[in-house]
Amino acid sequence: MSKTKKMSSFRKGLLIYVGIFVLIALIALSVLYAFLHAYEQSRPDTTVLNYIDDLRKQGLTESGQQALSLLDENLQSREESMNRLSARMQSMTCRKDSKRSSQGELFYNLYSDDQCIGYVGLKTSEKHTFGLTFWDVAEENFDFSAFTGSVQMTLPEDYKLFVNGVELDESYITDSAVQYETLSGFYEHYDNLPMLVHYESGKYIGDAEVVIKDGKGNEVSQDKLNEAYYLDNCDPAKAEKISEFADEFVDRYVFFCANTNQNEYGNYDYLAQIVKPESPLLDRMYNAFWSFGYTTVYSCDIVSRNINLISDLGDCYLVDYSYATDTVSAGGSAREELNIRFTVSENDGTYLAEALSNY
């Protein structure tokens, strides 16, 4: 029969001492861990980072949802907007707004890709541990305008605008009577000149697919969206005849304005032969007629000319014309580059000028 050796009192005491020491050490470590954890949680930066982490996991709060209500769900669904925002929120960071913060209230701006999308306000919490001050989110505000876009476009009346496959109807028109800059000098003389329409869509997150179609249903590239393209609609055969008339008109007009022969009466009659009677242009010529006696021009030659545009406006045609002249007068010689626009009407195959505008 084996005998069990009894543990000495010293060894028993040593083991009890070591056990107590380990227990105290474990308690101390637990307290230290709890303190460090509480300290970390008491830092306002941690409060905001936890808030951001919740946004990533649980989605937008009520305040964020209200910001989404400003978007146009006709052009982009709420689900699509949320998906695009969620992708943005993965890179969300925060920075303390020192200017707005005070001792009992702190503000942090929220950023995504260096774009500010809102802020949160922190206030001291009633919770206290180890004498540390904790913080609660007391205020939040979101502004997603940095990520939103809208379509603002001015198009001819018969054009159609589509955003994300949706045709913008009359509710998106903010101005249905936008004048063409090209025709700005003629609206006072004509009642039925074409107008432009200004569209403005609602907001959406990210990019949108934009399609423009002309009056015939053909898709138009956005790089062609200018007045010269809209108004370039004249039949080629008709444009050729009007071009011939335009050159003749400019020759007579320059001769009339220069008055090199000091015969303003004869020059007036010569130009009036191809100007419509009782037209705005004839009134303009009559008013200009009286100033020619005070100037002396020895010669005026057209050295270059170009027809920029001929447009069929329905009741008349618009001609956009550029030319340059070399002039010799009492003040010396000079080259002058000029741009004019004038309207032309057709009467039984005869063309007459009606109104003119310089630009």
Side-chain angles (χ1 to χ4, degrees), residues 70-358:
L70 301 177
L71 301 178
D72 189 341
E73 295 189 23
N74 186 44
L75 305 181
Q76 186 178 80
S77 67
R78 175 63 69 93
E79 181 181 4
E80 177 64 19
S81 298
M82 286 291 295
N83 290 338
R84 295 192 178 194
L85 273 179
S86 296
R88 292 282 190 176
M89 290 166 58
Q90 297 306 311
S91 60
M92 188 182 297
T93 57
C94 63
R95 302 174 198 167
K96 183 179 178 181
D97 189 340
S98 300
K99 293 183 178 179
R100 296 182 60 190
S101 299
S102 61
Q103 184 175 0
E105 189 176 24
L106 302 178
F107 288 91
Y108 283 77
N109 292 324
L110 303 175
Y111 293 87
S112 178
D113 298 332
D114 291 327
Q115 296 282 353
C116 185
I117 61 171
Y119 68 85
V120 291
L122 307 183
K123 289 187 177 181
T124 54
S125 172
E126 296 180 356
K127 177 183 177 182
H128 293 281
T129 303
F130 298 106
L132 299 172
T133 300
F134 288 80
W135 300 88
D136 292 328
V137 175
E139 181 181 354
E140 60 180 356
N141 181 276
F142 287 94
D143 179 6
F144 299 124
S145 59
F147 301 140
T148 61
S150 67
V151 176
Q152 299 184 39
M153 199 169 290
T154 303
L155 299 170
E157 297 170 300
D158 61 341
Y159 275 44
K160 294 182 179 181
L161 176 60
F162 299 82
V163 179
N164 289 340
V166 178
E167 181 181 352
L168 300 194
D169 58 22
E170 294 181 355
S171 65
Y172 291 95
I173 296 177
T174 59
D175 192 344
S176 59
V178 180
Q179 294 185 357
Y180 281 81
E181 187 279 330
T182 305
L183 304 176
S184 60
F186 303 100
Y187 283 101
E188 61 180 312
H189 306 305
Y190 297 91
D191 296 327
N192 299 317
L193 292 182
M195 292 283 188
L196 297 167
V197 174
H198 183 72
Y199 290 91
E200 187 169 341
S201 77
K203 301 289 186 179
Y204 49 81
I205 299 292
D207 299 322
E209 180 187 9
V210 179
V211 175
I212 303 101
K213 293 185 178 180
D214 61 20
K216 297 179 180 180
N218 300 315
E219 187 171 337
V220 180
S221 173
Q222 292 192 45
D223 59 10
K224 293 183 178 180
L225 300 182
N226 56 69
E227 293 189 8
Y229 180 82
Y230 303 149
L231 295 172
D232 187 12
N233 63 347
C234 191
D235 176 75
K238 184 72 66 176
E240 184 177 355
K241 294 180 180 180
I242 296 175
S243 297
E244 295 175 0
F245 171 82
D247 287 338
E248 176 65 20
F249 169 77
V250 171
D251 286 341
R252 297 194 188 195
Y253 176 73
V254 170
F255 187 66
F256 167 72
C257 294
N259 194 33
T260 56
N261 59 358
Q262 299 297 300
N263 182 12
E264 51 266 26
Y265 294 98
N267 300 338
Y268 175 88
D269 290 337
Y270 184 54
L271 178 57
Q273 293 174 10
I274 57 173
V275 175
K276 187 175 182 178
E278 300 181 0
S279 65
L281 178 54
L282 199 63
D283 291 340
R284 178 184 177 125
M285 289 166 52
Y286 182 78
N287 293 330
F289 173 85
W290 299 103
S291 66
F292 294 146
Y294 300 97
T295 61
T296 301
V297 177
Y298 303 123
S299 67
C300 182
D301 299 316
I302 299 177
V303 294
S304 68
R305 63 177 81 211
N306 184 65
I307 296 179
N308 307 312
L309 173 70
I310 296 178
S311 179
D312 186 347
L313 302 179
D315 295 333
C316 62
Y317 299 92
L318 172 76
V319 179
D320 189 318
Y321 203 106
S322 299
Y323 64 96
T325 60
D326 280 346
T327 303
V328 178
S329 65
S333 61
R335 173 162 293 189
E336 189 174 10
E337 296 183 356
L338 299 151
N339 302 285
I340 60 173
R341 297 186 180 113
F342 54 94
T343 54
V344 177
S345 61
E346 181 181 6
N347 301 276
D348 298 326
T350 300
Y351 294 104
L352 295 173
E354 290 188 342
L356 184 145
S357 174
N358 300 84

